[in-house]
Coordinates of all heavy atoms in Angstrom, one line a residue:
M1 N 59.5 142.3 56.3 CA 59.7 142.4 57.7 C 60.8 141.4 58.2 O 60.8 140.3 57.8 CB 58.5 142.2 58.5 CG 58.4 142.3 59.9 SD 56.8 142.1 60.7 CE 56.6 143.7 61.1
K2 N 61.7 141.9 59.1 CA 62.8 141.0 59.6 C 62.2 140.0 60.6 O 61.6 140.4 61.5 CB 63.9 141.8 60.1 CG 65.0 141.0 60.7 CD 66.1 142.0 61.2 CE 67.2 141.1 61.9 NZ 68.2 141.9 62.6
Q3 N 62.6 138.7 60.4 CA 62.2 137.7 61.4 C 63.2 137.8 62.6 O 64.4 137.9 62.4 CB 62.3 136.4 60.8 CG 61.0 136.0 60.1 CD 61.1 134.4 59.7 OE1 62.1 133.9 59.6 NE2 59.8 133.9 59.7
E4 N 62.7 137.7 63.9 CA 63.6 137.6 65.0 C 63.9 136.2 65.2 O 63.2 135.2 65.0 CB 62.8 138.3 66.1 CG 62.6 139.7 66.1 CD 61.9 140.2 67.4 OE1 62.3 139.6 68.4 OE2 61.3 141.3 67.3
T5 N 65.1 136.0 65.7 CA 65.6 134.7 66.1 C 64.8 134.2 67.3 O 64.7 135.0 68.3 CB 67.1 134.7 66.4 OG1 67.8 135.2 65.2 CG2 67.6 133.3 66.7
P6 N 64.4 132.9 67.4 CA 63.5 132.5 68.5 C 64.5 132.4 69.7 O 65.7 132.0 69.5 CB 63.0 131.2 68.0 CG 63.9 130.8 66.9 CD 64.4 132.0 66.3
L7 N 64.0 132.6 70.8 CA 64.9 132.4 72.1 C 65.3 131.1 72.3 O 66.3 130.7 72.8 CB 64.1 132.9 73.2 CG 63.8 134.5 73.3 CD1 63.1 134.9 74.5 CD2 65.1 135.3 73.2
Q8 N 64.5 130.1 71.9 CA 64.8 128.7 72.1 C 64.3 128.0 70.7 O 63.5 128.4 70.1 CB 64.0 128.2 73.2 CG 64.4 128.6 74.6 CD 63.9 127.8 75.8 OE1 62.9 127.2 75.6 NE2 64.4 128.0 76.9
E9 N 65.2 127.0 70.5 CA 64.8 126.1 69.3 C 64.7 124.8 69.8 O 65.3 124.3 70.8 CB 65.8 126.3 68.3 CG 65.8 127.6 67.6 CD 66.9 127.7 66.5 OE1 67.1 126.7 65.7 OE2 67.4 128.8 66.2
L10 N 64.0 123.8 69.1 CA 63.8 122.5 69.5 C 64.9 121.6 69.0 O 65.3 121.8 67.8 CB 62.5 122.0 68.9 CG 62.1 120.5 69.1 CD1 62.0 120.3 70.6 CD2 60.9 120.2 68.4
L11 N 65.5 120.9 69.8 CA 66.6 120.0 69.4 C 66.1 118.6 69.8 O 65.8 118.3 70.9 CB 67.9 120.4 70.2 CG 69.0 119.4 70.1 CD1 69.6 119.4 68.6 CD2 70.1 119.7 71.0
R12 N 66.1 117.7 68.8 CA 65.7 116.3 69.0 C 66.8 115.4 68.8 O 67.6 115.5 67.9 CB 64.5 116.0 68.1 CG 63.2 116.8 68.4 CD 62.2 116.5 67.4 NE 61.8 115.1 67.5 CZ 60.8 114.4 66.9 NH1 60.1 115.2 66.0 NH2 60.5 113.2 67.2
V13 N 67.1 114.5 69.7 CA 68.1 113.5 69.7 C 67.5 112.1 70.0 O 66.4 112.0 70.7 CB 69.3 113.8 70.6 CG1 69.9 115.0 70.3 CG2 68.8 113.8 72.1
R14 N 68.1 111.1 69.4 CA 67.7 109.7 69.7 C 68.7 109.3 70.8 O 70.0 109.5 70.7 CB 67.8 108.9 68.5 CG 66.8 109.3 67.4 CD 66.7 108.4 66.3 NE 65.9 108.8 65.2 CZ 64.7 108.4 65.1 NH1 64.1 107.7 66.0 NH2 63.9 108.9 64.1
A15 N 68.1 108.4 71.6 CA 69.0 107.9 72.7 C 68.3 106.6 73.1 O 67.2 106.4 73.1 CB 69.1 108.9 73.9
P16 N 69.3 105.6 73.6 CA 68.8 104.4 74.1 C 67.9 104.6 75.4 O 68.3 105.6 76.1 CB 70.0 103.6 74.5 CG 71.1 104.2 73.9 CD 70.7 105.7 73.7
S17 N 66.8 103.8 75.6 CA 66.0 104.0 76.8 C 66.7 104.0 78.0 O 66.4 104.7 79.0 CB 64.9 103.0 76.7 OG 65.3 101.6 76.7
V18 N 67.9 103.2 78.1 CA 68.6 103.1 79.4 C 69.3 104.4 79.7 O 69.3 104.9 80.8 CB 69.6 102.0 79.3 CG1 70.7 102.2 78.3 CG2 70.2 101.8 80.7
L19 N 69.6 105.2 78.6 CA 70.2 106.6 78.9 C 69.2 107.5 79.2 O 69.4 108.4 80.1 CB 70.9 107.0 77.5 CG 71.5 108.4 77.6 CD1 72.6 108.5 78.7 CD2 72.2 108.8 76.2
I20 N 68.0 107.5 78.6 CA 66.9 108.3 79.0 C 66.5 108.1 80.4 O 66.2 109.1 81.2 CB 65.7 108.2 78.1 CG1 66.2 108.6 76.6 CG2 64.5 109.0 78.5 CD1 65.3 108.3 75.6
E21 N 66.4 106.9 80.9 CA 66.1 106.5 82.2 C 67.0 107.1 83.2 O 66.7 107.6 84.3 CB 65.9 105.0 82.4 CG 64.7 104.4 81.6 CD 64.7 102.9 81.5 OE1 65.7 102.3 82.1 OE2 63.8 102.3 80.8
A22 N 68.4 107.0 83.0 CA 69.4 107.5 83.8 C 69.3 108.9 83.8 O 69.5 109.6 84.9 CB 70.7 107.1 83.2
I23 N 69.1 109.7 82.8 CA 68.9 111.2 82.7 C 67.7 111.5 83.6 O 67.8 112.4 84.4 CB 68.7 111.6 81.2 CG1 70.0 111.6 80.5 CG2 68.3 113.1 81.3 CD1 69.9 111.8 79.0
D24 N 66.6 110.8 83.4 CA 65.4 111.1 84.3 C 65.6 111.0 85.7 O 65.2 111.8 86.5 CB 64.3 110.2 83.8 CG 63.7 110.6 82.5 OD1 63.9 111.7 82.0 OD2 62.9 109.9 81.9
R25 N 66.4 110.0 86.1 CA 66.7 109.7 87.6 C 67.6 110.8 88.0 O 67.3 111.4 89.1 CB 67.5 108.5 87.7 CG 66.5 107.2 87.7 CD 67.3 105.9 88.2 NE 68.6 105.7 87.6 CZ 68.7 105.0 86.5 NH1 67.7 104.5 85.8 NH2 70.0 104.7 86.1
A26 N 68.6 111.1 87.3 CA 69.5 112.3 87.7 C 68.8 113.6 87.7 O 69.0 114.4 88.7 CB 70.7 112.3 86.8
A27 N 68.0 113.9 86.8 CA 67.2 115.1 86.8 C 66.2 115.2 88.0 O 66.2 116.2 88.7 CB 66.4 115.3 85.5
H28 N 65.6 114.1 88.3 CA 64.7 114.0 89.5 C 65.5 114.3 90.6 O 65.0 115.1 91.6 CB 63.9 112.7 89.4 CG 62.9 112.6 90.5 ND1 63.3 112.1 91.8 CD2 61.7 112.9 90.6 CE1 62.2 112.1 92.5 NE2 61.1 112.7 91.8
R29 N 66.5 113.7 90.9 CA 67.5 113.9 92.0 C 67.8 115.3 92.2 O 67.9 115.8 93.3 CB 68.7 113.0 91.8 CG 69.6 113.1 93.0 CD 71.1 112.7 92.6 NE 71.5 113.5 91.6 CZ 72.5 113.2 90.6 NH1 72.9 112.0 90.6 NH2 73.0 114.0 89.7
D30 N 68.0 116.1 91.1 CA 68.4 117.5 91.2 C 67.2 118.4 91.1 O 67.5 119.6 90.9 CB 69.4 117.7 90.0 CG 70.7 117.1 90.3 OD1 71.1 116.6 91.4 OD2 71.6 117.0 89.2
F31 N 66.0 117.9 91.1 CA 64.7 118.7 91.1 C 64.7 119.4 89.8 O 64.4 120.7 89.7 CB 64.7 119.6 92.2 CG 64.7 118.9 93.5 CD1 65.8 118.8 94.3 CD2 63.5 118.2 93.9 CE1 65.8 118.1 95.5 CE2 63.5 117.4 95.2 CZ 64.6 117.4 96.0
L32 N 65.1 118.8 88.6 CA 65.1 119.5 87.3 C 64.4 118.7 86.3 O 64.1 117.5 86.5 CB 66.6 119.5 86.7 CG 67.7 120.3 87.6 CD1 69.0 120.0 87.0 CD2 67.4 121.8 87.4
S33 N 63.9 119.4 85.3 CA 63.2 118.6 84.2 C 64.3 117.9 83.4 O 65.5 118.3 83.5 CB 62.4 119.6 83.3 OG 63.5 120.5 82.6
R34 N 63.9 117.0 82.5 CA 64.8 116.3 81.7 C 65.5 117.4 80.7 O 66.7 117.3 80.6 CB 64.1 115.4 80.8 CG 65.0 114.6 79.9 CD 64.2 113.8 78.9 NE 63.4 112.7 79.5 CZ 62.5 111.9 78.9 NH1 62.2 112.3 77.6 NH2 61.9 111.0 79.6
S35 N 64.8 118.3 80.2 CA 65.4 119.3 79.3 C 66.4 120.2 80.1 O 67.5 120.4 79.5 CB 64.3 120.2 78.8 OG 63.5 119.5 77.9
A36 N 66.1 120.6 81.3 CA 67.0 121.5 82.1 C 68.3 120.7 82.4 O 69.4 121.3 82.3 CB 66.4 122.0 83.3
Y37 N 68.1 119.4 82.8 CA 69.3 118.6 83.2 C 70.2 118.4 81.9 O 71.5 118.7 82.0 CB 69.0 117.3 83.6 CG 70.1 116.4 84.0 CD1 70.5 116.5 85.2 CD2 70.7 115.5 83.2 CE1 71.7 115.8 85.7 CE2 71.8 114.8 83.4 CZ 72.2 114.9 84.8 OH 73.4 114.1 85.1
I38 N 69.6 118.2 80.7 CA 70.4 118.0 79.5 C 71.1 119.3 79.1 O 72.2 119.3 78.7 CB 69.5 117.5 78.4 CG1 69.1 116.0 78.7 CG2 70.3 117.6 77.0 CD1 68.1 115.5 77.8
R39 N 70.4 120.4 79.2 CA 70.9 121.8 78.9 C 72.3 122.0 79.8 O 73.2 122.5 79.3 CB 70.0 122.9 79.0 CG 69.0 123.0 77.8 CD 68.3 124.4 78.0 NE 67.4 124.5 79.2 CZ 66.1 124.0 79.2 NH1 65.6 123.4 78.1 NH2 65.5 124.1 80.3
Q40 N 72.1 121.8 81.1 CA 73.2 122.1 82.0 C 74.4 121.1 81.7 O 75.5 121.5 81.6 CB 72.7 121.8 83.5 CG 71.9 122.9 84.0 CD 71.4 122.9 85.4 OE1 71.9 121.9 86.1 NE2 70.6 123.7 85.9
A41 N 74.0 119.8 81.4 CA 75.2 119.0 80.9 C 75.9 119.3 79.7 O 77.1 119.3 79.6 CB 74.5 117.5 80.8
V42 N 75.1 119.8 78.7 CA 75.7 120.3 77.4 C 76.6 121.5 77.7 O 77.6 121.7 77.2 CB 74.6 120.5 76.3 CG1 75.2 121.3 75.2 CG2 74.1 119.3 76.0
I43 N 76.0 122.5 78.6 CA 76.8 123.7 78.9 C 78.1 123.3 79.6 O 79.2 123.8 79.2 CB 75.9 124.6 79.8 CG1 74.8 125.2 79.0 CG2 76.9 125.7 80.4 CD1 73.7 125.9 79.8
A44 N 78.1 122.4 80.4 CA 79.3 122.0 81.2 C 80.3 121.3 80.2 O 81.5 121.6 80.3 CB 78.9 120.9 82.3
R45 N 79.9 120.6 79.3 CA 80.7 119.9 78.4 C 81.3 120.9 77.4 O 82.5 120.9 77.0 CB 80.0 118.8 77.6 CG 80.8 118.1 76.5 CD 82.0 117.4 77.0 NE 82.9 117.0 76.0 CZ 83.0 115.7 75.7 NH1 82.2 114.8 76.2 NH2 83.8 115.3 74.8
L46 N 80.5 121.9 76.9 CA 80.9 122.9 76.0 C 82.1 123.6 76.7 O 83.2 124.0 76.2 CB 79.9 123.8 75.6 CG 78.9 123.4 74.5 CD1 77.8 124.2 74.5 CD2 79.5 123.1 73.1
R47 N 82.0 124.1 78.0 CA 83.0 124.7 78.7 C 84.2 123.8 78.8 O 85.3 124.4 78.7 CB 82.5 125.1 80.1 CG 81.5 126.3 80.0 CD 81.0 126.7 81.4 NE 80.1 127.7 81.3 CZ 79.2 128.0 82.2 NH1 79.0 127.3 83.2 NH2 78.4 129.1 82.1
T48 N 84.1 122.6 79.2 CA 85.2 121.6 79.3 C 85.9 121.6 78.0 O 87.2 121.5 77.9 CB 84.7 120.3 79.7 OG1 84.0 120.3 80.9 CG2 85.9 119.3 79.7
D49 N 85.2 121.6 76.8 CA 85.8 121.7 75.5 C 86.3 122.9 75.1 O 86.8 123.1 73.9 CB 84.8 121.1 74.4 CG 84.5 119.6 74.7 OD1 85.3 118.9 75.4 OD2 83.6 119.1 74.0
G50 N 86.3 123.9 76.0 CA 86.8 125.4 75.6 C 86.0 126.2 74.7 O 86.3 127.1 74.1
V51 N 84.7 125.7 74.7 CA 83.7 126.6 73.8 C 83.0 127.5 74.8 O 82.2 127.1 75.7 CB 82.7 125.7 73.1 CG1 81.7 126.6 72.4 CG2 83.4 124.7 72.3
G52 N 83.2 128.8 74.7 CA 82.6 129.9 75.6 C 81.2 130.0 75.4 O 80.7 130.1 74.2
I53 N 80.4 130.0 76.4 CA 78.9 130.2 76.3 C 78.4 130.8 77.6 O 78.9 130.3 78.7 CB 78.2 129.0 75.9 CG1 76.7 129.2 75.7 CG2 78.3 127.9 76.9 CD1 76.0 128.1 75.1
E54 N 77.7 131.8 77.5 CA 77.1 132.5 78.7 C 75.9 131.6 79.1 O 75.0 131.4 78.3 CB 76.6 133.9 78.4 CG 77.7 134.8 78.0 CD 78.1 135.8 79.0 OE1 77.3 135.8 80.0 OE2 79.1 136.5 78.8
E55 N 75.9 131.2 80.3 CA 74.8 130.2 80.8 C 73.4 131.0 80.7 O 72.5 130.3 80.3 CB 75.0 129.9 82.3 CG 74.1 128.8 82.7 CD 74.5 128.1 83.9 OE1 75.6 128.2 84.3 OE2 73.7 127.4 84.6
T56 N 73.4 132.2 80.8 CA 72.1 133.0 80.8 C 71.5 132.9 79.3 O 70.3 132.9 79.2 CB 72.2 134.5 81.2 OG1 73.3 135.1 80.4 CG2 72.5 134.5 82.7
Q57 N 72.5 132.8 78.3 CA 72.0 132.7 77.0 C 71.5 131.3 76.7 O 70.7 131.2 75.8 CB 73.2 133.0 75.9 CG 73.6 134.4 76.0 CD 74.9 134.6 75.2 OE1 75.7 133.8 75.2 NE2 74.9 135.7 74.3
A58 N 72.0 130.3 77.4 CA 71.7 129.0 77.0 C 70.5 128.5 77.9 O 70.0 127.3 77.5 CB 72.9 128.1 77.3
L59 N 70.0 129.1 78.9 CA 68.9 128.6 79.6 C 67.6 129.2 79.3 O 67.3 129.9 78.6 CB 69.2 128.8 81.1 CG 70.3 128.0 81.6 CD1 70.6 128.3 83.1 CD2 70.3 126.5 81.5

């Protein structure tokens, strides 16, 4: 039986606590979760770098 690709996968990164605190403040300001804020930031950077991605696929 063929396995389906999960809609989301877990991505873990290490970051200094000061960066995590800054992300949390910015996410709270925008009424987003930490994960949603990071996803949006990565999407924006990928677009800046010329990597095409549909936002609906990435959220």
Side-chain angles (χ1 to χ4, degrees):
M1 179 179 257
K2 182 181 173 184
Q3 277 190 329
E4 292 187 28
T5 304
L7 296 178
Q8 292 187 347
E9 294 186 35
L10 179 63
L11 172 67
R12 295 177 66 176
V13 298
R14 293 184 187 272
S17 59
V18 67
L19 178 58
I20 294 169
E21 291 166 6
I23 291 168
D24 286 344
R25 284 194 309 273
H28 184 267
R29 179 198 63 208
D30 293 345
F31 303 102
L32 296 170
S33 67
R34 180 189 293 170
S35 292
Y37 184 87
I38 293 169
R39 278 191 300 271
Q40 287 183 6
V42 169
I43 290 167
R45 178 60 189 259
L46 287 169
R47 286 181 178 154
T48 298
D49 289 347
V51 179
I53 185 168
E54 299 253 350
E55 191 163 342
T56 55
Q57 292 175 318
L59 296 177

